[in-house]
Amino acid sequence: RLFDVLGPVMIGPSSSHTAGAARIGSGQKLLGEIPAQADIGLYGSFATTGKGHGTDKALVAGLLGLRPDDPASDSFALAAEQGMAFRIHPVELRSAHPNTAVLTLTGREGRVLSMKAAS
């Protein structure tokens, strides 16, 4: 199949910063719901160039259950509409992949999921 070689359709500009970040955000499925609160720590190039590449918006899109090829352009506004508060900030890690995110997600009933993932 062609897409096995070329990869999925996605919103750019960088597959690791957008499609990969959205997949990291889709880890919210482990929480079982769209989080009420999300603390998103970014490390390495996710922290330094992520905003320009759309990593922040892609992570939030993934947390909302959107796919990497979803044309929704403003995941921040969608998060506000759905009542999801989030905070994005740099973090310091040791020996981590340069495209790493550390997420702490809190559900509406207080259930907490913490995860670290790289793209």
Side-chain angles (χ1 to χ4, degrees):
R1 294 184 11 199
L2 181 62
F3 288 115
D4 291 338
V5 176
L6 297 177
V9 173
M10 62 167 204
I11 306 300
S14 163
S15 61
S16 63
H17 281 261
T18 54
R23 290 277 247 167
I24 289 170
S26 71
Q28 58 83 0
K29 293 175 185 173
L30 297 170
L31 184 66
E33 63 181 305
I34 293 173
Q37 295 182 350
D39 183 83
I40 304 166
L42 303 178
Y43 172 75
S45 65
F46 266 12
T48 58
T49 65
K51 188 168 188 169
H53 284 147
T55 305
D56 52 355
K57 291 182 178 176
L59 282 162
V60 171
L63 291 172
L64 295 170
L66 301 175
R67 296 172 37 95
D69 62 346
D70 194 297
S73 61
D74 194 352
S75 60
F76 290 1
L78 288 171
E81 287 173 15
Q82 294 192 28
M84 185 182 87
F86 61 91
R87 176 177 166 251
I88 301 173
H89 56 90
V91 294
E92 290 296 322
L93 300 172
R94 285 195 151 143
S95 302
H97 186 281
N99 292 344
T100 298
V102 179
L103 297 112
T104 302
L105 311 176
T106 306
R108 305 221 180 275
E109 300 296 320
R111 183 174 174 196
V112 176
L113 169 68
S114 295
M115 62 185 209
K116 178 170 75 170
S119 170

